[in-house]
Amino acid sequence: SSRRHLSKALYKLKQWLGEYAVCIAGDEHSLSLVHTRLDLTDFREAIRSDEFVQKRKALRLYRGPLLEDCSLEWVDGPRADLEREVRQIFQQVCETLRKEGRISEALAIAHRWSRHSPFEEEATRQVMALYTRIGQPAAALLHYRQCVNLLERELALEPET
């Protein structure tokens, strides 16, 4: 049974990382990541950059919480750190686009930010402000009502005024 699980795990690793990432020599198994790119590494490089295009790249690379299916305690800290960094990048990119007058792009980022962090009121405020700026107050009000409903349904809270 253990050998079967190991065999399945090695097969999956080869699929994910490429044929040459898993080295098997007799009973010895090793993993070589020399020719493997990790999206987390690319993400961290992008957010450290001062270039706006790199910040946008970081948002394209982000696909969800770190090791989302893993419930081990050691993941909690790094997962929370990554989520904090992602929220900061959403805010920075949204703000830069808004200042540059690229409102439709800013609105798309703000919507993604709001979906990513549905309980973060700053994301909701950005969506509402951007809708208002493009002359769609009804859409801003609808987004607000959706936020209120979510807060009431999930947390039994009202938004800050």
Side-chain angles (χ1 to χ4, degrees), residues 106-122:
L107 184 56
I109 295 295
H111 267 293
R112 186 168 170 220
W113 178 17
S114 184
R115 284 189 306 275
H116 172 267
S117 304
F119 301 113
E120 187 164 334
E121 292 184 22
E122 180 57 30

Side-chain angles (χ1 to χ4, degrees), residues 58-154:
L59 290 181
R60 281 193 307 277
L61 288 169
Y62 180 77
R63 289 184 175 59
L66 178 67
L67 301 172
E68 188 171 19
D69 297 332
C70 182
S71 60
L72 298 174
E73 280 186 38
W74 66 266
V75 176
D76 293 343
R79 184 182 293 142
D81 292 344
L82 178 64
E83 291 303 306
R84 189 172 31 262
E85 290 170 337
V86 168
R87 286 191 307 271
Q88 289 172 347
I89 295 300
F90 272 121
Q91 187 168 15
Q92 290 172 5
V93 168
C94 192
E95 184 67 18
T96 299
L97 289 168
R98 186 189 60 74
K99 285 180 180 176
E100 291 178 355
R102 297 161 62 182
I103 304 305
S104 61
E105 291 176 73
L107 184 56
I109 295 295
H111 267 293
R112 186 168 170 220
W113 178 17
S114 184
R115 284 189 306 275
H116 172 267
S117 304
F119 301 113
E120 187 164 334
E121 292 184 22
E122 180 57 30
T124 297
R125 284 187 195 104
Q126 283 287 341
V127 171
M128 293 170 54
L130 291 163
Y131 269 131
T132 301
R133 185 159 174 192
I134 61 172
Q136 294 186 20
L141 186 56
L142 175 63
H143 191 77
Y144 173 76
R145 287 185 180 137
Q146 290 170 340
C147 174
V148 169
N149 290 338
L150 179 70
L151 288 170
E152 287 174 350
R153 184 176 64 246
E154 300 293 327

